[in-house]
Amino acid sequence: MEPDFERRLIQSMSGGSSLNSSPFSSPISSPSPIKCSDRFIPLRSLSQPSAFFIDQEQTHKGPMIDKKSSRDPTTSATNTNGNSSTNGTTIAADRTKDVLTYQALLQNEMFGTQIDTLYDEYHMNSSYSNINSNQHHTTGTTNQGGNNDTTINGGINSQPVTTTLNGQTIGGQIHTTSISGINGILSQSSQQRLPYTNTNSNLLRTRDPNTIFRYSARRNTDDLHYSPYSLSPLSPASIRLLRSPRKQLRKIPKTPFKVLDAPELQDDFYLNLVDWSSTNILAVGLNASVYLWNANTSNVTRLCDLQTESDTVTSVAWSDRGQYVAVGTHKGIVQIWDATTNRKTVSFPRHTARVGALAWNDHCIYSGSRDRFILQNDTRSSKQERKLAGHRQEVCGLKWSPDRQLLASGGNDNRLLVWNQSCINPIQIYTDHTAAVKAIAWSPHQQGLLASGGGTADRYIRFWNTLTAQSLQCIDTGSQVCNLAWSKHSNELVSTHGYSQNQIVVWKYPSMLQLARLTGHTFRVLYLAVSPDGESIVTGAGDETLRFWNVFTKCRANKESDSVLNLFNKIR
């Protein structure tokens, strides 16, 4: 091999030219077909500004320009006419585009950054705003072949360009930079960064794009178990799904485990005729009598009979300890009965219309009537404590908060009122419902959380924060809401409905996801009570049946270990 030929070959492989050698040694040279290697060497010169912008003299004297000028007659004619600067600018923009495309492709494959746009137009305009503001002369524009618009005197222009790499098409905004503005950009190398757009904010982001090996871990916790170098064909979401523990789905039986006949159970929306005591005894008002059903022994006893008084039962409610039963009548009388002796202890004939709602608070009984008033009576004496006037129509719902500090009342006037123990006027008034409010339930898990349901014209379940007097959320159930009850062990609640579906729905709060939809009653499910263990519910309807359902989970008890190392199991 001739020495001169070998020298020219080595110069061409190193990016130089045997005829016109450039005085500048740029680390980024044009791709040559004779360069080949079995090793992948990443780009190491990203911290140098010359990696992003090509110098003016190198642009005119590099071997890439000479070869392209000799091949392209259009370019030669342009240089003959004195427009060599325009041609050099276009070639500089093409080489800059190749460099940026290669760097973006390298970061995508090595770090999984998923760069989809080479330049951010807003970022580039803000970066070069200082350069453009110093130019006061007119900017000229040359159109080359109708495809590439290049600004000559330091301006910046952008156009959509489609680049094909390894058979893949990458679309982005490529900004070409003029010759006269390059020196100003190089002088501010500390402020220039590679502008790109990353649509995936959860992946690894470089702190300084000029140094790809210095990065900060801004990760989402969901991506901690996913590596960008994984060879798995599955997506990160699929990998997280497969690695997550499988939750055992809770199956709610669709059929009741017990059905009792309840003859003469009235089909009246404004009455409350079923209640379950803390001693596991169910009280049911049937026409003029109150019956007690013992859930432990299945024995049925009759507590009272009002036929001798020509009266009927309109509401029943157990005391907190399960000893006394309050009975409201159609004539507006509230009677207190001792369930252990089957004897009436006291009577309060102070309402002028039927009593449809009852609520206990220690020794005091609160009664809501069709006469629009709520009366407080102490069972230890015959004196009337308070008279609450706030509703304009019949009071059909009464419920105390778990801490016994707030009383919620719903009426046929579509209003929900909240009372305290020290004031005779309501402290909060909610008027969002458009039908009668009978279904009321306080959450035992979150203080001040109140749920209410509207009648046929409303059909909404609404949640209220009584601590701030704000509405939290609401959901359209599609049918009349008759009753609401929270689970004692989980953040779930059950609702019973009337027109037009007559169903029982178990909800997950706060997502309000339907866990189960139970059907079986042929009339409106007007009555609801929860068992003392919080696992079962009983529903009553105008079809004169009582149905028992297992809808809630039991409270999980801590299982003691049988290990011999547990000394407490061996102590006698």
Side-chain angles (χ1 to χ4, degrees):
M1 180 183 296
E2 297 181 1
D4 295 337
F5 177 78
E6 183 178 3
R7 178 175 55 82
R8 292 194 301 271
L9 180 61
I10 293 175
Q11 287 182 355
S12 61
M13 292 180 61
S14 61
S17 176
S18 60
L19 298 176
N20 297 326
S21 60
S22 175
F24 299 91
S25 59
S26 174
I28 303 300
S29 59
S30 60
S32 177
I34 62 175
K35 285 187 178 182
C36 59
S37 174
D38 59 346
R39 296 182 61 191
F40 178 73
I41 303 177
L43 191 61
R44 305 277 183 175
S45 59
L46 297 177
S47 60
Q48 301 180 11
S50 59
F52 305 129
F53 306 99
I54 310 302
D55 195 272
Q56 177 180 359
E57 297 183 6
Q58 181 184 359
T59 303
H60 290 289
K61 297 183 180 180
M64 183 67 180
I65 300 178
D66 294 339
K67 295 178 182 179
K68 185 174 182 180
S69 299
S70 61
R71 292 194 303 265
D72 194 354
T74 306
T75 307
S76 301
T78 305
N79 293 335
T80 306
N81 295 332
N83 295 329
S84 60
S85 60
T86 304
N87 185 24
T89 305
T90 305
I91 298 175
D94 293 338
R95 298 189 62 184
T96 305
K97 177 188 65 177
D98 294 338
V99 171
L100 297 178
T101 304
Y102 174 75
Q103 183 187 7
L105 190 62
L106 182 64
Q107 293 190 24
N108 286 343
E109 297 299 327
M110 294 185 63
F111 299 102
T113 53
Q114 296 185 358
I115 300 174
D116 55 353
T117 305
L118 294 182
Y119 276 100
D120 187 3
E121 184 176 359
Y122 174 79
H123 185 277
M124 288 297 298
N125 291 335
S126 61
S127 300
Y128 300 143
S129 59
N130 295 331
I131 300 175
N132 292 331
S133 61
N134 295 330
Q135 298 175 354
H136 303 285
H137 50 274
T138 306
T139 301
T141 305
T142 302
N143 189 356
Q144 298 181 2
N147 295 326
N148 297 329
D149 296 335
T150 306
T151 303
I152 296 178
N153 295 324
I156 298 175
N157 197 358
S158 63
Q159 67 178 29
V161 176
T162 302
T163 306
T164 303
L165 295 176
N166 298 330
Q168 298 180 357
T169 303
I170 302 176
Q173 294 288 335
I174 305 300
H175 297 260
T176 58
T177 308
S178 66
I179 301 302
S180 61
I182 293 178
N183 294 330
I185 297 174
L186 292 176
S187 63
Q188 299 177 356
S189 60
S190 61
Q191 300 178 358
Q192 297 301 323
R193 298 294 183 267
L194 176 63
Y196 58 84
T197 302
N198 188 352
T199 58
N200 192 347
S201 59
N202 295 329
L203 294 178
L204 194 65
R205 288 185 177 180
T206 57
R207 181 188 298 120
D208 189 348
N210 292 340
T211 54
I212 64 174
F213 296 103
R214 292 171 54 190
Y215 52 87
S216 61
R218 294 179 57 186
R219 295 186 181 183
N220 193 344
T221 55
D222 296 337
D223 296 330
L224 294 178
H225 302 287
Y226 173 74
S227 173
Y229 308 104
S230 175
L231 299 179
S232 175
L234 301 177
S235 63
S238 300
I239 294 177
R240 289 195 303 269
L241 180 62
L242 293 176
R243 290 181 177 179
S244 61
R246 177 177 296 180
K247 295 182 180 180
Q248 185 177 2
L249 297 178
R250 179 166 62 92
K251 295 183 179 180
I252 300 177
K254 300 294 184 180
T255 58
F257 65 88
K258 185 183 289 294
V259 179
L260 297 178
D261 290 330
E264 297 184 290
L265 185 62
Q266 299 186 47
D267 185 19
D268 195 331
F269 176 79
Y270 300 97
L271 305 186
N272 293 273
L273 298 176
V274 178
D275 196 18
W276 209 330
S277 72
S278 58
T279 57
N280 207 13
I281 298 178
L282 188 68
V284 183
L286 301 178
N287 197 6
S289 302
V290 176
Y291 291 88
L292 303 181
W293 178 77
N294 193 322
N296 298 323
T297 61
S298 298
N299 293 331
V300 179
T301 59
R302 186 167 65 178
L303 178 65
C304 64
D305 188 2
L306 304 182
Q307 287 184 354
T308 58
E309 302 175 6
S310 301
D311 206 351
T312 58
V313 178
T314 55
S315 59
V316 294
W318 282 96
S319 62
D320 297 335
R321 296 182 180 181
Q323 181 180 359
Y324 298 100
V325 181
V327 179
T329 68
H330 185 76
K331 293 182 178 181
I333 303 174
V334 178
Q335 301 179 0
I336 307 299
W337 288 77
D338 191 344
T340 58
T341 61
N342 290 354
R343 295 180 59 183
K344 182 172 62 174
T345 60
V346 66
S347 179
F348 303 100
R350 293 188 173 95
H351 286 288
T352 58
R354 67 180 182 185
V355 179
L358 295 170
W360 284 85
N361 189 349
D362 199 9
H363 296 285
C364 295
I365 181 68
Y366 289 76
S367 56
S369 172
R370 197 173 188 176
D371 60 6
R372 304 171 299 170
F373 296 111
I374 301 174
L375 299 183
Q376 174 187 350
N377 296 284
D378 194 339
T379 58
R380 295 169 296 185
S381 64
S382 59
K383 296 181 180 180
Q384 178 179 329
E385 299 289 337
R386 284 195 304 168
K387 183 177 182 180
L388 307 179
H391 288 282
R392 301 170 183 173
Q393 295 187 32
E394 180 177 3
V395 179
C396 50
L398 282 178
K399 282 294 177 359
W400 277 98
S401 61
D403 57 0
R404 303 300 181 179
Q405 298 299 319
L406 297 177
L407 174 65
S409 64
N412 197 32
D413 55 358
N414 310 342
R415 301 204 302 173
L416 176 66
L417 307 182
V418 178
W419 315 75
N420 59 14
Q421 294 185 356
S422 60
C423 185
I424 61 174
N425 295 321
I427 60 175
Q428 295 177 11
I429 301 176
Y430 302 105
T431 60
D432 292 356
H433 286 289
T434 58
V437 181
K438 177 191 175 184
I440 302 173
W442 292 88
S443 172
H445 312 290
Q446 182 176 343
Q447 184 180 6
L449 178 58
L450 176 63
S452 61
T456 307
D458 183 73
R459 305 177 303 179
Y460 273 87
I461 297 178
R462 300 182 182 272
F463 297 89
W464 316 89
N465 185 353
T466 58
L467 301 179
T468 60
Q470 293 179 349
S471 174
L472 298 178
Q473 60 175 319
C474 62
I475 182 171
D476 188 1
T477 62
S479 58
Q480 179 187 36
V481 183
C482 301
N483 294 277
L484 287 172
W486 288 87
S487 170
K488 298 180 180 180
H489 311 302
S490 60
N491 215 8
E492 301 173 357
L493 73 157
V494 60
S495 61
T496 65
H497 300 271
Y499 299 125
S500 58
Q501 301 179 21
N502 305 330
Q503 81 275 24
I504 304 166
V505 182
V506 183
W507 308 86
K508 181 67 176 179
Y509 183 82
S511 63
M512 295 309 292
L513 176 67
Q514 287 193 15
L515 301 180
R517 183 177 178 271
L518 311 176
T519 57
H521 286 287
T522 57
F523 281 69
R524 294 181 296 175
V525 188
L526 298 176
Y527 311 111
L528 170 68
V530 183
S531 63
D533 60 359
E535 179 185 2
S536 305
I537 63 171
V538 59
T539 57
D543 55 5
E544 298 183 349
T545 60
L546 296 176
R547 300 174 184 265
F548 296 80
W549 315 78
N550 280 323
V551 296
F552 294 136
T553 58
K554 293 182 179 179
C555 182
R556 296 182 179 179
N558 295 328
K559 184 179 180 180
E560 295 185 359
S561 175
D562 296 334
S563 174
V564 295
L565 299 179
N566 190 352
L567 300 179
F568 296 99
N569 293 338
K570 304 301 180 181
I571 297 178
R572 294 183 178 179

